[in-house]
Amino acid sequence: MLIDTHCHLDFADFDAERDDIIARAHASGVVQMVTISTRVRRLPDLLKIVDTYPSVFCSVGTHPNNADEELDISTDDLVRLANSHDKIVAIGEAGLDYFYDTQKPEDQKTGLRCHIEAARITKLPLVIHSRSADDDMIAILREESGKGAFPFILHCFSAGPDLAKAGVELGGYVSFSGILTFPKSQDIRDIAATVPLDRLLVETDAPYLAPKRWRGKRNEPSYVVNTAEVLAEVHGLSYEKMAEITTDNAFRCFSKMTRV
């Protein structure tokens, strides 16, 4: 069995067939999913989903590309909301995205530090989005870890080896998406091979980044199987063993998430 540790089931892409998408996930062996928040103010939409589907859990947080919309959301707000529902199992996604020049870096950093403190207080994993921002992300993770440990995930990993190494050294998990399967992603596969087995996670980031087998289609949680297959090849393991490893890791990382 597998867990899709990062998808966006609240997005409009899935409105017409959410029941079927979740059924297909179950049929493919994806037993649980975490649908990730991009705006705190849309949390009610996520809660409707997790209350409808026993196998779906969620996070609460603000994506860095929406940072300026929710600078008024405080650490206390995040902590209060995270503790308000049994199926909110993570903080974020928050982070730094310098690829899209839509948000001020300082606004993104302010939001990231706010989310880090919430993760530190709640002990829920912070889902980190980092794109074209390796040096700043490494510096913030090291600085903040010096103030006190907090659980975190480097989600949809597509950065350089230094960020992966720093993340692992600081106790984080590294999550791989369909990018791992792309023909031109040998550098990401090389990095994945260096990540210890007990720090590996798999995800779809659906509806984005469908893996090679379904490239060009809208992504969905059932497709995480292809990413797990490639990750198994990278580590010289069977698919079944990698599924077991990443599922165990997911439950250890998302410590509030129950098995259903």
Side-chain angles (χ1 to χ4, degrees), residues 59 77 80 82 103 109 115 122 129-130 155 181 184 211 215 218 225 248:
S59 69
D77 292 329
R80 173 179 55 80
Q103 301 288 313
K109 291 176 183 179
H115 284 70
T122 62
H129 174 108
S130 183
H155 118 83
T181 72
K184 294 182 179 180
R215 191 79 186 269
R218 179 203 62 192
V225 169
D248 288 346

Side-chain angles (χ1 to χ4, degrees), residues 96 98 105 109 112-113 133-141:
L96 304 175
Y98 299 166
K109 291 176 183 179
L112 174 57
R113 292 182 190 277
D134 290 24
D135 291 346
D136 281 0
M137 182 59 71
I138 291 169
I140 289 174
L141 288 177

